[in-house]
Amino acid sequence: HPPSPNPGSRYPIGVVGIIAHWSRPLHQTVWRLAPALACGNAVIVKAPTVTPLTTFALAQVIDDLVKAGKIPAGVVNFVFGSGEVVGQTLASHRAVGAVAMVGGNTAAAKIQLAAAAAGSMKKLKFDVGNNHAVVVDEAADLDALLPVAVTAAFKCDAGQRAHSTQTLVLHAAIADAFLDKFLPAVRALTVGDPLDVSIDVGPLVSKDQVTLMRQGLDALVAAGGKILVGGIENATLPPSADLAGGNWFRPTVVGPFTYERKQGDCRRGCGADDGGDYDYDQGKPWADEHQGPIVKIVVVPDIETAIHAANAGPYGLSASVWSQNIDTAHAVAHAIDAGYVWVNNWLARDLAMPFGGWKESGNGQRSGGSWDLDFYSYTKTTSIELRQNRHDLTDKNFYVAATA
């Protein structure tokens, strides 16, 4: 039978919820707001509780556009309140057809549970959790790596970004040479008022975050890590008397930790000798997420062990590889369990490419380009019967052909 045309089309979901994280909330909100609006949706933005001001500024901009007739009233809405109330209401309300969230794993689980408890099958997209590991091969350009490592770990938002360097996995052949450069550079960092251009590292977002960093540092030391820079005793001291009471945490480096591969210690791409299922629960504190100015040093004997160390924890949002051997760089990037891998750079991104985490860092949905269109819209395929192609629905052979 001649085929019938089957055009596909996209339709708005209706109402979409966006839940922003306290880390860079303006960027996180706009990156999701733009495609949601482009697909024809109305949007409700839930501002982060501890960093609401940039979201409030965005709300003022939107309000000005509404008054100027550029955006219809009610298309973009902002709600300020706790995640326990606002976030779970967005997740459970039947009028909300999709929720995109950036935040922590516990909050994401509550969103899922709220949606499930309400019997809702709405679309959910999460970007949550990361322990950004930097694998440094023996062929890495250490001089090029040094300023990037210091910036990615400490100078950019005091290590509080999702992609901030949290773990340096160093090949034993270059570990001492790199640490001889890295540790003095970290000691030289200045801490203080972020509005002062001479300052390298500002405060943490809240006292709760300071407490989490302190607890994380305690756990790392209890696991055998040595304080190489910074430390527990002076970690939270104010940089000066006039800044007393701030949420300070001095740049800290802990290690070196070692890592030994175990039987079954792999999740994919393993040889026959590795066998077994990957065990996410390695019991390694350095594999946990520490969203702040703490860097863990892990020294490994070879690049294969480095790959396993980078994959040891439950997270997989992003990672980095440094090697001047392009074959090694490609092999490591391929083997790392993360949604985004940088090679010999950091944060160089094409926002049209897919972005999202593996393992516990997401739920499989992706942002960027056409992936955003897929999330923020419904698709429909329409089969159109043209007169010249009209099928005889009484012909049993039609059903045989249609179901073949």
Side-chain angles (χ1 to χ4, degrees):
H1 299 279
S4 298
N6 282 256
S9 52
R10 293 186 182 274
Y11 295 84
I13 291 174
V15 179
V16 170
I18 296 175
I19 301 175
H21 190 231
W22 55 257
S23 176
R24 308 185 76 243
L26 180 62
H27 166 82
Q28 301 292 355
T29 298
V30 172
W31 194 22
R32 289 155 181 80
L33 177 62
L37 292 177
C39 289
N41 298 293
V43 179
I44 301 172
V45 176
K46 189 269 179 196
T49 305
V50 295
T51 55
L53 293 184
T54 53
T55 305
F56 183 74
L58 176 62
Q60 291 178 311
V61 171
I62 296 296
D63 186 55
D64 290 341
L65 292 173
V66 170
K67 291 176 180 177
K70 303 294 185 181
I71 298 178
V75 170
V76 184
N77 310 272
F78 295 85
V79 182
F80 296 80
S82 72
E84 294 289 339
V85 176
V86 180
Q88 294 194 42
T89 299
L90 289 174
S92 61
H93 202 289
R94 290 300 185 109
V96 179
V99 175
M101 176 192 155
V102 183
N105 296 71
T106 300
K110 290 180 179 179
I111 293 296
Q112 289 180 307
L113 288 172
S120 173
M121 296 296 290
K122 69 185 62 185
K123 292 184 175 185
L124 299 173
K125 176 162 64 173
F126 301 119
D127 290 313
V128 291
N130 196 29
N131 175 27
H132 187 104
V134 179
V135 174
V136 185
D137 178 42
E138 59 183 330
D141 184 340
L142 301 185
D143 290 329
L145 167 62
L146 178 63
V148 177
V150 173
T151 297
F154 303 110
K155 297 177 71 174
C156 187
D157 295 345
Q160 297 175 96
R161 298 183 69 158
H163 307 298
S164 295
T165 296
Q166 297 191 30
T167 304
L168 283 166
V169 183
L170 306 177
H171 194 292
I174 53 83
D176 289 342
F178 179 72
L179 291 176
D180 286 344
K181 299 173 182 287
F182 182 65
L183 298 182
V186 177
R187 290 191 189 98
L189 294 173
T190 56
V191 180
D193 186 349
L195 299 180
D196 183 341
V197 295
S198 67
I199 294 298
D200 296 313
V201 182
L204 300 191
V205 67
S206 66
K207 293 193 181 301
D208 286 344
Q209 195 66 16
V210 173
T211 299
L212 288 174
M213 290 300 99
R214 184 68 180 260
Q215 293 171 346
L217 187 53
D218 286 339
L220 291 167
V221 172
K226 296 181 179 179
I227 304 296
L228 305 178
V229 176
I232 295 174
E233 294 304 320
N234 66 351
T236 57
L237 291 177
S240 60
D242 61 324
L243 293 175
N247 302 324
W248 307 109
F249 201 96
R250 294 178 182 272
T252 299
V253 182
V254 189
F257 297 96
T258 58
Y259 182 81
E260 296 180 0
R261 293 170 60 185
K262 300 177 182 178
Q263 185 72 13
D265 181 20
C266 82
R267 197 191 66 80
R268 64 182 183 90
C270 302
D273 293 339
D274 288 318
D277 294 328
Y278 183 88
D279 180 10
Y280 288 145
D281 185 14
Q282 297 290 332
K284 304 293 186 183
W286 51 261
D288 293 335
E289 180 181 33
H290 297 90
Q291 198 167 1
I294 297 176
V295 168
K296 295 90 71 175
I297 304 296
V298 180
V299 178
V300 294
D302 51 60
I303 200 63
E304 289 79 13
T305 305
I307 293 169
H308 287 272
N311 289 340
Y315 303 109
L317 185 61
S318 64
S320 301
V321 181
W322 284 77
S323 178
Q324 294 186 89
N325 184 320
I326 193 63
D327 291 332
T328 298
H330 272 295
V332 176
H334 172 73
I336 287 179
D337 293 342
Y340 215 109
V341 179
W342 285 282
V343 176
N344 296 331
N345 62 21
W346 180 66
L347 282 190
R349 289 175 59 188
D350 181 347
L351 296 181
M353 297 302 293
F355 174 85
W358 288 29
K359 302 189 292 189
E360 297 299 315
S361 290
N363 64 336
Q365 294 285 354
R366 292 295 178 262
S367 298
S370 62
W371 289 268
D372 274 325
L373 298 182
D374 290 337
F375 181 77
Y376 292 111
S377 67
Y378 290 133
T379 58
K380 178 187 294 185
T381 301
T382 305
S383 177
I384 302 175
E385 184 70 45
L386 301 180
R387 183 174 298 274
Q388 62 268 33
N389 293 340
R390 179 167 295 169
H391 300 124
D392 182 0
L393 299 184
T394 64
D395 181 0
K396 67 178 181 179
N397 291 324
F398 165 72
Y399 296 97
V400 173
T403 58

